[in-house]
Amino acid sequence: TSKSFFFSLFISFQHPVAHSLATPTTNNYSPFDMTSLPLEKLANHASSYASAHGIQVERRNDDGVSSYECAPISLLPNAYPRSAFQHAKSLAKPYNDLVDRVSRDSEFLQKALGGGVSDNDPYTAKLLELYNKIYVDDGDYGKFAQIADRLGIHRSDYMLTSDGPDGKHEPKQVELNTVASSFAGLSANVADLHRHMTKRYKDDLKEFLESNKKLAAHNYGESTDEEDGVPVNPTMTCLPQAFNAAHEQYKSRFVSADSKSAPVVLFVVQDGETNTVDQRMLEFALFDNHGVNVVRMSLTAAHTQLEVDETTGALYIVDPNDST
């Protein structure tokens, strides 16, 4: 029987902001004047911290030579009501269960995506065609996929929303990512950056943080006297642990006691990938914490470098020396 593995990845995602960031106006609170902050000092310190802690993205020139630069990040954290944060976290498992059940419900998917949607969107139509061919239709094409174990790593993005200036702020889901569930490494380090900045420049940021906190707690029934701070983001512990659980399950099915090689985790990456630092953080943590190797390969390379055992369904790398 195949198994499903779930990891509830909750990231407080911050969009890049410029120095003109300002606190919105309500009937009770006026906008905070960001120009009153030592922005140049803060930005220089944040940039140095980011470089020293791997908050970077890769860039390649026309000759294929790589360099690294600071990833787009917010300079400072925004306040988020505790109860709203905990509520969003509590939704992670139900949403994961929902995604898994929807992915297995071919009748629902056909009803939701077939007809009008797929007729007008060739991309969706192709996805639905592949889904039916692999997971629904009888035959040899999907015989191994249909009994394969599944590890789901999902990232659900939220933003605080209110009905008006005096309305209660509530978390509203922006999207739920599955295959695009990135930034586990970078987001954990950005949380550390924000925690560092609010402690290192506590006096400089006192008025900004208090103003931001009052705004977030406005009409939320929460005291603004509670001890605040940036939550620890455990992704670099939990994600490698989830990968390892799936790896152990794979070993129990496909690796015999006399096997000459150990299975690896395959990262399928796009050609010209720039988010390599974030991905490498997961790769290194998986090896350091669990001794599991990662092989990186593009889908283009996988077409010629991977083969399936037609008896067991195990996946093999034709020439490991050609992988990274």
Side-chain angles (χ1 to χ4, degrees):
T1 303
S2 63
K3 292 185 177 180
S4 291
F5 300 86
F6 296 100
F7 173 75
S8 303
L9 171 58
F10 185 89
I11 297 176
S12 179
F13 186 77
Q14 297 284 352
H15 292 285
V17 296
H19 286 174
S20 59
L21 181 152
T23 303
T25 303
T26 72
N27 288 345
N28 296 319
Y29 304 108
S30 300
F32 183 84
D33 181 10
M34 294 298 291
T35 61
S36 64
L37 296 177
L39 293 175
E40 184 173 356
K41 178 177 71 172
L42 296 173
N44 287 338
H45 191 87
S47 179
S48 296
Y49 184 100
S51 297
H53 292 80
I55 308 176
Q56 297 180 319
V57 291
E58 183 176 357
R59 296 286 184 248
R60 294 189 185 93
N61 61 22
D62 294 338
D63 297 325
V65 178
S66 295
S67 61
Y68 296 86
E69 62 185 45
C70 182
I73 56 175
S74 55
L75 179 62
L76 300 170
N78 280 316
Y80 210 100
R82 277 180 179 78
S83 54
F85 182 77
Q86 294 299 330
H87 175 61
K89 286 181 64 177
S90 72
L91 295 175
K93 187 179 186 304
Y95 270 129
N96 282 345
D97 289 337
L98 176 63
V99 170
D100 180 62
R101 292 179 183 180
V102 167
S103 72
R104 298 173 187 269
D105 192 336
S106 59
E107 183 178 345
F108 171 81
L109 287 173
Q110 187 64 48
K111 185 183 298 184
L113 300 178
V117 176
S118 57
D119 287 345
N120 291 282
D121 185 355
Y123 180 76
T124 300
K126 187 64 177 179
L127 288 178
L128 191 59
E129 176 190 338
L130 288 172
Y131 175 87
N132 287 325
K133 186 176 182 179
I134 295 171
Y135 294 108
V136 179
D137 298 343
D138 294 329
D140 291 340
Y141 193 85
K143 62 181 181 181
F144 296 126
Q146 291 173 16
I147 60 172
D149 300 308
R150 304 180 186 184
L151 168 64
I153 298 179
H154 308 145
R155 192 193 77 207
S156 194
D157 298 343
Y158 299 87
M159 296 185 71
L160 281 179
T161 305
S162 66
D163 294 332
D166 296 317
K168 179 180 178 181
H169 290 94
E170 295 181 315
K172 300 294 184 180
Q173 187 183 60
V174 179
E175 61 179 349
L176 189 146
N177 295 275
T178 53
V179 68
S181 216
S182 59
F183 301 127
L186 295 188
S187 66
N189 285 355
V190 169
D192 292 340
L193 163 66
H194 286 163
R195 193 178 305 106
H196 170 83
M197 294 292 289
T198 54
K199 290 181 178 179
R200 173 67 174 79
Y201 295 103
K202 182 178 179 180
D203 293 338
D204 290 322
L205 299 176
K206 183 177 181 180
E207 291 186 15
F208 162 75
L209 293 175
E210 286 300 319
S211 174
N212 196 260
K213 184 178 175 182
K214 288 179 180 179
L215 179 69
H218 176 58
N219 282 352
Y220 216 92
E222 292 190 357
S223 170
T224 59
D225 296 328
E226 295 179 81
E227 183 180 356
D228 53 6
V230 179
V232 173
N233 190 332
T235 53
M236 293 310 294
T237 298
C238 296
L239 253 70
Q241 187 176 2
F243 278 119
N244 184 59
H247 182 263
E248 289 296 318
Q249 173 66 11
Y250 184 91
K251 285 169 58 179
S252 71
R253 292 185 60 182
F254 298 106
V255 179
S256 60
D258 58 352
S259 178
K260 296 181 180 179
S261 60
V264 300
V265 171
L266 178 66
F267 280 13
V268 180
V269 299
Q270 61 185 355
D271 293 311
E273 176 64 69
T274 60
N275 192 35
T276 54
V277 175
D278 181 62
Q279 296 166 358
R280 291 288 191 180
M281 288 179 182
L282 281 174
E283 174 187 342
F284 300 152
L286 182 56
F287 181 80
D288 291 342
N289 297 344
H290 304 284
V292 177
N293 285 320
V294 167
V295 169
R296 296 169 56 85
M297 185 182 297
S298 68
L299 196 59
T300 304
H303 183 66
T304 57
Q305 289 300 309
L306 297 180
E307 62 182 22
V308 177
D309 187 314
E310 293 299 332
T311 302
T312 66
L315 194 65
Y316 291 96
I317 301 173
V318 176
D319 186 359
N321 293 324
D322 288 343
S323 306
T324 59

